[in-house]
Amino acid sequence: MSQFCQLVHLPNLVHRLNDCRHSDVSLGPVLVWVLKTIFQRQTLYRAEAPTFCTKRTIYNMLDDGRINWQRLSCQLAQRVIASLTKRLDARHSGALIVDDTLIPRLSAKQTELLANTFDHDKSRHLTGFRGLTIAWSNGQLVLPVTTAVLSSKKASNRVRAPASTLDWRTLSGQRRAQAMQEMPTVSLALIKQALANWIKAKYVLFDSWFTSSKLLLALKRLGLVGVGMLKRTKKSYFRYWSREYTIPDLYRHLRRSNRQTHTHYLYSCIVKAERSGVELPIKLVFVTKAHRGNDYLVLATTDTTLTPTKIIGLYTRRWQIENYFRAAKQYLRLATVRFQDYDGLCAHMAITMMAYDLLAWQQRHQPNDQTLGDIFHNLNTLLPVLDLTLAVTQLLDGLSDMVQAEPKISTRVTTLINNLFNQLTPQVGTIIGAELTDIGI
């Protein structure tokens, strides 16, 4: 953990977060302490209080609305990517992945901006938030870049309203205003923020919920190539050979034309979409749906020079962000947050991304193919070992002073130490053995 903090220059990052608290306690040690509680699978309430401050100080710092947590996650990811450049394949272009996940708060009643959110897995509404996340991937590695905790644009869906005394000009007010915007609008804002923090990417990947001609056109104006899946709706029309088609109608037209299907996809064609008086060329690829040969999916991109195989290969990267959500919820307590303050929720999301960046960085440096779960459990066992080593070292220092004062009891001390070694793990025994050598026992 110390090496990771040196790698990302954590004090420099903290200096850029708009941390304006007049306190002797810096935000850097607080972040490290919270990371330790995550890896030890403890809540902030049950964790042992740090020695440099009280828990109340930590709660106040995490709930501080002046700290720019989105900038922390962006610049942290950029520095991790820069450090891993030599270990990544330069032939793969970077891509940004857009997706969201449900953060349920079933027992919460007073949390600010709490909303009724639809759970697609359970097909019912739950109280909670949507964690909109932008991740970076090159096909080998996925790193979360930035996130926004979203409520609902409709006031009728919001269980709790924002604070009436809120100043909307402040960073805290802008964060809450963003939470009440539409998800595609916030997605575009987060993508611009990632680019402004030197995250290099050529493609943007998203599923059918985000894909629209409006978003594809906005990305093209930013110099990015959008790759997403289209909904098979009858409300959107595309021009193909001077005729307007919906996606189902276009698929039936291509089938009636007796086009030859291919090994990895069914059909491919270039259509035009009308948006704000601009004709946007879009390349469509019809792919067979897995395990359902009579069904199909439609992929779309604004780069008409890409081959269908390349488009399919790019879109398969989108699933990597689902792996991040699974690991964050299973190991890093993403969905079990207990903060009642909205700013605390944003801090929790940013620190969870920081913990995942640490795991991903550690995984790239492992000589063997360890999973993120294996690395998490290794850190979980290592942290208590370090605390035990410090305690035993202090005990041995006291025993050394006793031996020097009373040489006659050295035999009894040696017997006690041998009994201690027989009950320790090999890893702890090796560390303590080095300490014994240093103090002359």
Side-chain angles (χ1 to χ4, degrees), residues 39-40 378-390 428:
F39 289 121
Q40 291 175 341
N378 290 341
L379 288 172
N380 187 26
T381 56
L382 182 60
L383 285 172
V385 166
L386 294 177
D387 296 337
L388 176 62
T389 304
L390 179 61
V428 179

Side-chain angles (χ1 to χ4, degrees), residues 236-281:
S236 300
Y237 287 86
F238 300 90
R239 184 178 297 112
Y240 179 68
W241 289 104
S242 303
R243 184 175 177 181
E244 299 290 338
Y245 291 94
T246 62
I247 291 298
D249 293 338
L250 180 58
Y251 177 72
R252 285 191 292 267
H253 172 75
L254 294 176
R255 289 194 63 181
R256 286 195 300 264
S257 62
N258 294 325
R259 280 200 178 192
Q260 182 181 0
T261 60
H262 300 76
T263 304
H264 301 292
Y265 62 97
L266 296 174
Y267 310 108
S268 175
C269 62
I270 297 177
V271 299
K272 292 183 179 179
E274 184 79 18
R275 190 68 193 182
S276 301
V278 179
E279 279 193 345
L280 179 65

Side-chain angles (χ1 to χ4, degrees), residues 399-431:
L399 291 176
S400 177
D401 296 337
M402 291 175 59
V403 169
Q404 294 177 0
E406 297 289 340
K408 295 182 179 180
I409 64 173
S410 60
T411 304
R412 296 176 57 189
V413 171
T414 304
T415 303
L416 292 174
I417 292 176
N418 290 334
N419 293 335
L420 175 64
F421 264 81
N422 293 331
Q423 300 178 6
L424 294 177
T425 62
Q427 184 180 9
V428 179
T430 303
I431 299 175

Side-chain angles (χ1 to χ4, degrees), residues 22-50:
H22 298 286
S23 174
D24 296 334
V25 180
S26 175
L27 183 60
V30 171
L31 293 176
V32 174
W33 181 83
V34 176
L35 284 178
K36 288 183 178 181
T37 62
I38 291 176
F39 289 121
Q40 291 175 341
R41 291 194 169 185
Q42 294 179 340
T43 63
L44 298 184
Y45 176 77
R46 294 185 178 275
E48 184 179 355

